[in-house]
Amino acid sequence: MSKWISALLSSLLICLIAAYGDYTPIDMRETGIGYESYFMLFITGWIILFPVYLLLGVPLSLVLDAAVERLFNGAPKGVAIAMKLISYLLGSVALGWGFSLLMGAGDWTAYRYPFMLGASVYWAFQELLRWAQKRIRRKAASSSMRG
């Protein structure tokens, strides 16, 4: 469930920031040129990005998490977390390369950083949600032992 929520939050955050960057304020607009509203910029990006997270990001993260857990089972917790981030970044570069091949648009390096940013944001939300779930479980366990 945390992967789905991470996909939702990541796509929302990235689209909010991208829409903010692409939005042209009313006082800076020129006459005769059509400008999109902030909401339209946001929703257009989100309609594209959220399914990409669901169809590519969530399955790839399941595979990468399983591989990192298998390979770094006995490693210290910090090493496992760092290896997850590195594997997400490498997986995103591979997805960017594959995307550029399938789309036939631009050099693959043009997609490297956007895909890496998306993977980093997704990873951060996922780790934050895991941390919050563990903390809630610990509080619930400690309060049930007292009562």
Side-chain angles (χ1 to χ4, degrees):
M1 187 67 163
S2 68
K3 293 192 181 296
W4 288 67
I5 295 171
S6 297
L8 175 67
L9 294 175
S10 300
S11 60
L12 288 173
L13 178 66
I14 289 173
C15 289
L16 284 171
I17 292 171
Y20 178 77
D22 288 343
Y23 179 70
T24 305
I26 294 173
D27 58 339
M28 297 181 73
R29 296 180 182 184
E30 297 179 23
T31 54
I33 298 176
Y35 293 95
E36 296 290 334
S37 67
Y38 182 82
F39 177 75
M40 189 58 80
L41 289 169
F42 165 76
I43 203 71
T44 302
W46 189 76
I47 287 172
I48 295 168
L49 190 58
F50 185 57
V52 170
Y53 269 108
L54 290 180
L55 297 175
L56 295 175
V58 171
L60 182 62
S61 74
L62 289 169
V63 170
L64 291 175
D65 286 350
V68 167
E69 286 178 22
R70 189 173 337 118
L71 293 172
F72 297 95
N73 191 13
K77 189 174 183 173
V79 171
I81 289 174
M83 294 316 308
K84 275 187 183 179
L85 176 59
I86 291 169
S87 67
Y88 276 49
L89 293 174
L90 291 174
S92 67
V93 170
L95 280 178
W97 180 73
F99 182 78
S100 69
L101 283 177
L102 288 174
M103 299 305 289
D107 187 19
W108 79 273
T109 57
Y111 299 106
R112 177 177 47 201
Y113 294 119
F115 274 74
M116 288 174 77
L117 173 70
S120 300
V121 171
Y122 179 82
W123 173 83
F125 273 121
Q126 182 176 293
E127 291 301 317
L128 184 65
L129 287 171
R130 283 185 186 161
W131 175 79
Q133 286 175 342
K134 285 180 185 177
R135 191 165 170 110
I136 290 169
R137 284 184 196 138
R138 271 192 243 135
K139 276 193 171 189
S142 66
S143 66
S144 67
M145 293 182 100
R146 280 188 244 158

